[in-house]
Structure formats: C-alpha cells, structure tokens
Amino acid sequence: MAVPGNRFSPTAQRVIGALPFLWLGLFFLLPFAIVLKISMADALIAVPPYTEFLARTADGIKLQATLDNYQFLYTDELYALAFLNSLKVAAVSTLLCLLIGYPLAWGVARAEARTRNLLLLLIVLPSWTSFLIRVYAWMGILGNNGVLNQLLLGLGIVDSPLTLLRTDIAVYIGIVYTYLPFMVLPLYANLAKLDQRLLEAAADLGANPWRCFWLVTLPLSRIGILAGCLLVFIPATGEFVIPELLGGADTLMIGKLLWQEFFNNRDWPLASAVAIVLLALLLAPIAVYYRAQAPGSAAVAVTAMRGRRDGGA
Amino acid sequence: MMRRWVGRLPLLAGLAFLYLPMLVLVVYSFNESRLVTVWAGFSTKWYGELLRDRQILDGIWLSLRVAVLAATAATVLGTLAGLTLARFGAFRGRSVFGVMIAAPLVMPEVITGLSLLLLFVAMGQLFGWPAQRGTLTIWIAHVTFCTAYATVVIAARLGELDTAIEEAAMDLGATPARVFFAITLPVIAPALISAWLLAFTLSLDDLVITSFVTGPGASTLPIVVFSSVRLGVSPKINALATLMILAVFAGTLAAWWWAGRFGRGSRGRPRGSVE
C-alpha cells in the first residue's frame, strides 16, 4: 500500500500527517467558514463590528442571518464593475505575461546546460528581493517627473510628460513585472522536458521552424502554459498592492475595494461578502490549477526556482 | 549567426526588463535631491537617514524575528506534510490535504488575510485567546502560508528520491524513525534549506496578510515601507531597497558558490554509481 522506501506503521503515518493537517485545517480551511458566516451578519459600531449569528432574545435563541450584503453587492454597480475590471486586468496581464514569458522560457530551455541554471537564477532573483520594492520601483519610473518621461522628453519623442502613473497602464506593467517569474518557471519546467527528437522528426519531415513550433512545441507545452497562466491570473485578480500604488483613484479592482471596506469603512460583513464572491469566482480556476499541478508542475516550478535540478537532463 | 541572435533576443530583452527598474532604484538612492527622480549630484546622505529611522529599524528587527521563526516552523510542518503526500500513498482526506497545500499558493492575499483575522477575532471571543493581535498572530499567519510552499519543495524532493538506500536500511533492521533521521533527512537536507529560505523570503516580504492580522505596535518592515511609499517616492526607501537588493544578491552569490562546491564534491559518487 505504502510507497516503497517507507515502512512507517499506519499509526505513525497518522501522527505524522495529523500536525500539518490540523494546522492547515484550523488556520486555512476553517476561516473560510467564518468568513461565510460573517458575510451574513450586519455591520455594527462595536467590538467586533458585526452582529452575532445567534442572538439571545426573550423567546430563546434567534438566528440572525441576512443576505443583505450580497444583495448590496448585486445592486450597487460599483462592485459589479470592480469584479469585471479585476477579471479583465488579470486576464490581459496574464496574456502579456505569456507573450513575454514564453520566449523567455524557451530561450532558457534552449540555452546550453551550463548557462541554463544561471539564466533561471537571474529570472527568479528579483522576486527574492521584495515584492513591495519592485512595485515601488515603477513609481519612480512612471511618474510625471519620472525616469521614463525624462528620457522621452530628453530624446524629443514627446513634448509634454505622459501621464502613466496612476493609470491602468501602470497597473498592467506592475502586474507583468512582478508576476513574470511565476509564468516563466512552469513554462521552463515544461519546455526543458520537451523531447528534442520530436522537433527533429518534424523538421526531417519538412516542417519549417514556425510549423514545428505551432504543431509540436506549443501543443506539448500546454500544461506549462495552463499552470503559468493560472499562477498569474488567480492572484492577480485579487491584487491589492499594485492597483493601490500604481493605479489611479478610478482603477477599480476588487482587492482594493475589499481592503477599503475593511480598513477604511470598517464594514467587516461587506468585506466578507466581497471575499466570498471573489472566492466563488476563482473557485473554477483554482480547481483547474489543482488538477493541472497534479503531475507536479507547481512543484517543479518551485524547485526550479532554486535552480537545482534541470528537468531536461 | 543570425538565428542565434534572434533566439537570444527575447532572453536579453526579458532580463533587461527585469533588471533595469532595479538599477534605476539603486542609482537614485545616491541622489542628493529629495525629489527622487531629479538628479542633483551624488550623495550617501539617505543611507545615513535610513540608519537613523527608528521605525524602519524596528520594522526590520521584527520582520527578521518573525521570518526566522515562521520559516523554521513551516519547514518542520512542511517536512511532515511532504512525507505524508509523497510517501504515504492513498489515505482518507488526501484530497482535502492536497487542496490545503495547493490553494494557499494562488489564493489572493486579501482573502487569506481577512479570513485569518476573522478566525482570530472569533477565537478571541470564544476562548479569550488570542486576546490581542500582534507578533504571535503574524507568526501563525506566516507559518500557515509558508507551510504550503515548504511542503511543495520538500514533497517534490521526496518524490524523486531513490528509495533503495532506505529500503536497504530497513532490511538491515533499522526502525522507520531511525531510517528517517539517519538517511532520509540528510539526503533531503538541500531541499529543507531551499524550503526554509523560500519561507524566510516569503515571510519577510508579506504585506497584505500581515496588515490584516497585526495589532497595535507590531509593524513589520513591509507595513512601515508601505505606509511610507503610499505617500509618494522617498529616497530613503530607495536606499533601503538598494540594501535589500545587495543582501539578496550577496546571499544568492554565496549560496551559488557554496552549492557549486558542495555539488561537485558530493555528486561524483552517487552519480557514478547510478550511471
């Protein structure tokens, strides 16, 4: 029954598995039930700022659950627009990441074995510094007085500074910049394993390089494409820091709205309802991601991050 | 050859895209002017200001403490979880387990942060613990998401491991615990180090989840930096960024060099015996 190499007794196996299982169950899974519960409460000016689920009244215990928050999300079009815009921003950024990341991953996978690990390291290295700092870097570049505008003005390409910071363009740049490694790694892991003989066979049979790519490389790398896209798309949909720092006041992103409901308006029940709807929207992509990573593409991606083992060998 | 250059172009362009913004960050940390993006001469005064900023220094200290403790706990939990996933075959609840490991890797942080905070509040009401949010709740939150990453790294290594040595030890009469500590653990040590380092950097870097679960007085470095950059660019933050970039690059270079030496030294035998 057990995989060879291990002969822990069933009891020992249970004890070993119990600790992480209980930890994640308590601190990752259970909280979703509480979010669901509080999303059906009313906001109060109190500590904590929401009504109790079960209230003690004169005639006993009364259930106080309401769908008002969901109805509010449905009727106030601000939220619908924010959800739609988040999905749009995430989808476009994912596509841009794929367009930039694919040639990059292909270039690394095709590099000589000696330089391959170094290139991989160079791609991951920036993401080990700090996410916040990497977003911040673009504030200095895209501002009206920023490096990019000074460069464009200096070269005479534009006459007046372009408004880039606090626009949706800045949000796209920020997401692509910070999430690019998450696209490249699964793609690389996938492309490195690609059997070169298939490409040689296609070429021998008269296919030009473009046809080889289109008919052999691309279809064979679709698991990597799927994993990379989902690794970018899912977190980008709920992104808060990037729209907050690079986007404008009118950049509607659901993560930002959730944050504002929670921290600025102290409306915990509404913030919970936003979280539940966002989770419901992302459930399908998360399920696809979970299935896609079954053979271990996420695992390969994370281990590839350490540049240890190149799947091609 | 022309083809060769065309093939390398996306790589070079991609690397330039990744590194130029960081270069700009570093260059302008040495700018005399308060206006970060207008060059007014070379100066290191912002580094001095940085070292006198109590809030930032306190933030660094708190972040480092939390990251070390969170990474350590996450590596332990990740080893147990990795063993369970990679070695114990099918068991009831395996799919739930798998989801709990995979989902935190992609879950938007605002959801994770909000849900953990609501859990802490509910627990506080029910059991009176945690009475207050602060370093402890930050640590619990970090251990939770770091465990998922650590598990993925460790399970991957355990999955590709040649189990023949373990089998041999078993046949020679070693107990499962003995085999684990004497053979499995040393063999997966590099993966444990990788997992620890990954968890450490993730914990050090987290802003969103920490913002939800923190309490009065517990401001980690990302929280301090975020409240500062929200108001606009500041050369002090550029100086901080430069030091962080320097630390990561130096650390990676050292690890690269060490892994190269270590890898060459130990690789010969096992490889030779297999091939």
Side-chain angles (χ1 to χ4, degrees):
Chain A
M1 174 87 188
V3 179
N6 151 69
R7 285 179 215 162
F8 282 108
S9 69
T11 316
Q13 294 193 1
R14 225 162 284 150
V15 171
I16 289 170
L19 195 56
F21 197 96
L22 290 177
W23 184 286
L24 290 170
L26 177 59
F27 294 118
F28 183 71
L29 224 48
L30 178 67
F32 291 120
I34 297 172
V35 177
L36 185 65
K37 189 192 106 175
I38 289 171
S39 75
M40 291 187 278
D42 273 322
L44 272 187
I45 299 177
V47 179
Y50 51 83
T51 52
E52 285 301 316
F53 203 53
L54 298 170
R56 217 179 281 274
T57 61
D59 352 297
I61 290 171
K62 190 170 136 265
L63 180 72
Q64 298 190 64
T66 154
L67 292 175
D68 286 359
N69 294 309
Y70 292 97
Q71 199 173 7
F72 181 69
L73 289 185
Y74 183 72
T75 44
D76 192 330
E77 73 173 353
L78 177 76
Y79 294 92
L81 285 175
F83 275 113
L84 284 177
N85 198 50
S86 299
L87 292 174
K88 188 192 95 185
V89 169
V92 172
S93 314
T94 305
L95 192 67
L96 290 171
C97 268
L98 182 63
L99 291 177
I100 299 172
Y102 201 100
L104 209 56
W106 194 81
V108 177
R110 287 292 142 268
E112 289 158 41
R114 234 157 15 108
T115 50
R116 204 184 291 163
N117 280 348
L118 182 67
L119 288 172
L120 210 53
L121 185 70
L122 284 175
I123 286 170
V124 195
L125 199 53
S127 59
W128 291 342
T129 55
S130 160
F131 174 78
L132 197 52
I133 289 298
R134 277 152 43 84
V135 177
Y136 169 74
W138 287 97
M139 292 176 73
I141 295 172
L142 298 174
N144 278 350
N145 258 327
V147 178
L148 187 64
N149 268 319
Q150 284 179 35
L151 193 73
L152 292 176
L153 287 169
L155 292 173
I157 297 173
V158 295
D159 299 324
S160 57
L162 299 173
T163 310
L164 295 167
L165 192 61
R166 313 228 159 275
T167 66
D168 283 6
I169 298 172
V171 175
Y172 287 123
I173 294 175
I175 295 180
V176 171
Y177 184 68
T178 47
Y179 284 87
L180 191 58
F182 298 108
M183 176 66 80
V184 174
L185 291 173
L187 279 176
Y188 162 77
N190 194 274
L191 287 170
K193 275 186 291 199
L194 189 78
D195 192 341
Q196 281 302 302
R197 287 171 303 179
L198 294 172
L199 288 175
E200 284 164 23
D204 287 346
L205 292 170
N208 60 34
W210 180 243
R211 254 176 93 79
C212 282
F213 172 76
W214 196 248
L215 293 175
V216 180
T217 313
L218 199 62
L220 283 175
S221 55
R222 61 177 188 275
I223 292 281
I225 294 175
L226 190 67
C229 286
L230 292 171
L231 272 173
V232 175
F233 178 81
I234 301 170
T237 307
E239 185 54 55
F240 160 72
V241 176
I242 295 170
E244 174 72 17
L245 292 181
L246 301 179
D250 57 340
T251 304
L252 280 176
M253 290 278 286
I254 204 64
K256 205 170 114 180
L257 224 52
L258 192 158
W259 180 285
Q260 283 168 353
E261 288 302 345
F262 184 84
F263 286 102
N264 305 359
N265 303 342
R266 267 186 82 78
D267 193 336
W268 292 16
L270 190 61
S272 302
V274 172
I276 292 292
V277 175
L278 178 58
L279 190 63
L281 278 177
L282 294 178
L283 220 49
I286 291 174
V288 176
Y289 163 78
Y290 177 64
R291 292 184 68 97
Q293 59 100 55
S297 53
V300 176
V302 181
T303 32
M305 274 172 89
R306 312 308 306 194
R308 226 176 12 81
R309 192 184 169 82
D310 42 43
Chain B
M1 227 169 83
M2 182 69 194
R3 280 266 305 276
R4 227 186 145 123
W5 265 104
V6 174
R8 282 193 185 162
L9 207 61
L11 248 179
L12 295 174
L15 289 176
F17 173 62
L18 283 174
Y19 283 90
L20 279 179
M22 296 174 94
L23 185 68
V24 169
L25 215 52
V26 172
V27 168
Y28 280 90
S29 75
F30 295 105
N31 190 3
E32 170 75 38
S33 162
R34 170 166 281 286
L35 290 166
V36 176
T37 53
V38 181
W39 187 256
F42 181 86
S43 160
T44 52
K45 70 174 180 189
W46 300 112
Y47 289 87
E49 294 250 334
L50 179 70
L51 293 177
R52 280 189 294 276
D53 190 320
R54 266 264 49 104
Q55 258 195 314
I56 290 184
L57 294 181
D58 288 347
I60 293 175
W61 177 228
L62 177 64
S63 279
L64 284 175
R65 274 183 304 164
V66 169
V68 167
L69 294 174
T72 307
T75 307
V76 173
L77 284 174
T79 308
L80 300 177
L83 213 55
T84 309
L85 281 178
R87 290 297 175 78
F88 294 173
F91 59 89
R92 214 148 26 107
R94 196 195 154 96
S95 54
V96 179
F97 204 96
V99 168
M100 290 196 302
I101 298 300
L105 310 186
V106 287
M107 189 62 67
E109 289 186 293
V110 283
I111 298 182
T112 316
L114 176 70
S115 65
L116 262 170
L117 168 75
L118 295 181
L119 173 81
F120 290 141
V121 170
M123 282 169 67
Q125 276 182 296
L126 273 176
F127 319 114
W129 184 91
Q132 215 186 23
R133 292 182 297 280
T135 315
L136 181 68
T137 46
I138 297 175
W139 176 76
I140 293 175
H142 286 202
V143 171
T144 306
F145 70 79
C146 287
T147 295
Y149 285 90
T151 304
V152 169
V153 174
I154 296 167
R157 180 70 187 123
L158 281 168
E160 67 184 20
L161 206 65
D162 182 4
T163 52
I165 311 173
E166 290 174 44
E167 292 276 317
M170 285 287 201
D171 290 342
L172 292 171
T175 61
R178 178 112 194 255
V179 172
F180 177 74
F181 285 107
I183 295 172
T184 317
L185 217 49
V187 174
I188 62 168
L192 297 184
I193 295 170
S194 295
W196 193 91
L197 286 171
L198 185 62
F200 179 76
T201 54
L202 287 168
S203 165
L204 215 52
D205 200 23
D206 181 74
L207 166 72
V208 175
I209 295 173
T210 311
S211 299
F212 277 97
V213 300
T214 188
S219 295
T220 59
L221 183 64
I223 291 181
V224 176
V225 170
F226 183 64
S227 57
S228 160
V229 299
R230 242 179 164 174
L231 306 173
V233 281
S234 140
K236 222 191 306 184
I237 301 296
N238 282 55
L240 176 69
T242 304
L243 293 180
M244 286 168 84
I245 293 170
L246 199 72
V248 169
F249 279 35
T252 310
L253 208 67
W256 182 262
W257 178 79
W258 183 75
R261 270 177 64 107
F262 182 77
R264 263 198 302 279
S266 66
R267 202 176 278 163
R269 263 174 301 147
R271 273 239 172 135
S273 62
V274 173
E275 283 161 9

